[in-house]
Amino acid sequence: VVAAPCVAGPGYAAAQTLDYEVFKANIQPIFVTHREGYTRCMVCHAGANNAMRLERPGASGFTEEQSKKNFETVSRLVVPGKPDESHLLLYPLVPQEGGSAYHSGGRQWPSKQDPTWQKIARWIKGEK
């Protein structure tokens, strides 16, 4: 299992990690799944020249190497245990819900109650 370390800051009893297997099974598919009314993350982020440069899957899906690279990339955009401080969730969230004013790809989540937002938040919190 690959895990992204997090240096424990004040108030953290122990460092937290992100679960690679949960990412591969539940989070990575979000980036290629079409949701009505939204552009797939992969459209803009596959091979992008920004912090969320994702590997493009082949005809049979992601290879293990691609999944590991995507995990490493996405892990840099989250604060383990703190979804409300994680760029992965804040950039595409509407500003009225606490999202960033900047996300050139539009808004992916109209609220923190969006099921996809919640799924990623659970992963960031370490839930299985």
Side-chain angles (χ1 to χ4, degrees):
V1 171
V2 177
C6 175
V7 177
Y12 256 31
Q16 295 187 4
T17 59
L18 299 168
D19 188 299
Y20 171 69
E21 293 300 326
V22 172
F23 169 81
K24 192 167 72 168
N26 299 321
I27 306 306
Q28 183 172 242
I30 291 169
F31 306 140
V32 295
T33 301
H34 176 72
R35 296 185 316 129
E36 189 65 38
Y38 298 95
T39 301
R40 289 181 293 241
C41 303
M42 194 59 66
V43 170
C44 297
H45 289 283
N49 190 22
N50 59 36
M52 192 169 157
R53 181 185 175 134
L54 297 172
E55 297 290 314
R56 186 181 310 276
S60 58
F62 293 101
T63 66
E64 192 67 19
E65 181 180 337
Q66 289 174 317
S67 291
K68 286 180 181 178
K69 284 182 181 179
N70 285 340
F71 177 75
E72 290 170 14
T73 296
V74 170
S75 295
R76 290 190 295 267
L77 302 174
V78 304
V79 179
K82 299 183 177 186
D84 288 323
E85 296 178 23
S86 299
H87 288 298
L88 179 66
L89 287 175
L90 294 180
Y91 270 45
L93 178 65
V94 295
Q96 300 86 338
E97 287 279 320
S100 173
Y102 175 77
H103 182 246
S104 61
R107 301 301 167 185
Q108 293 292 318
W109 300 298
S111 79
K112 291 180 180 179
Q113 279 60 59
D114 181 271
T116 304
W117 196 97
Q118 287 290 318
K119 181 184 278 192
I120 296 171
R122 286 190 299 274
W123 170 68
I124 292 171
K125 289 190 270 186
E127 297 174 20
K128 302 275 180 189

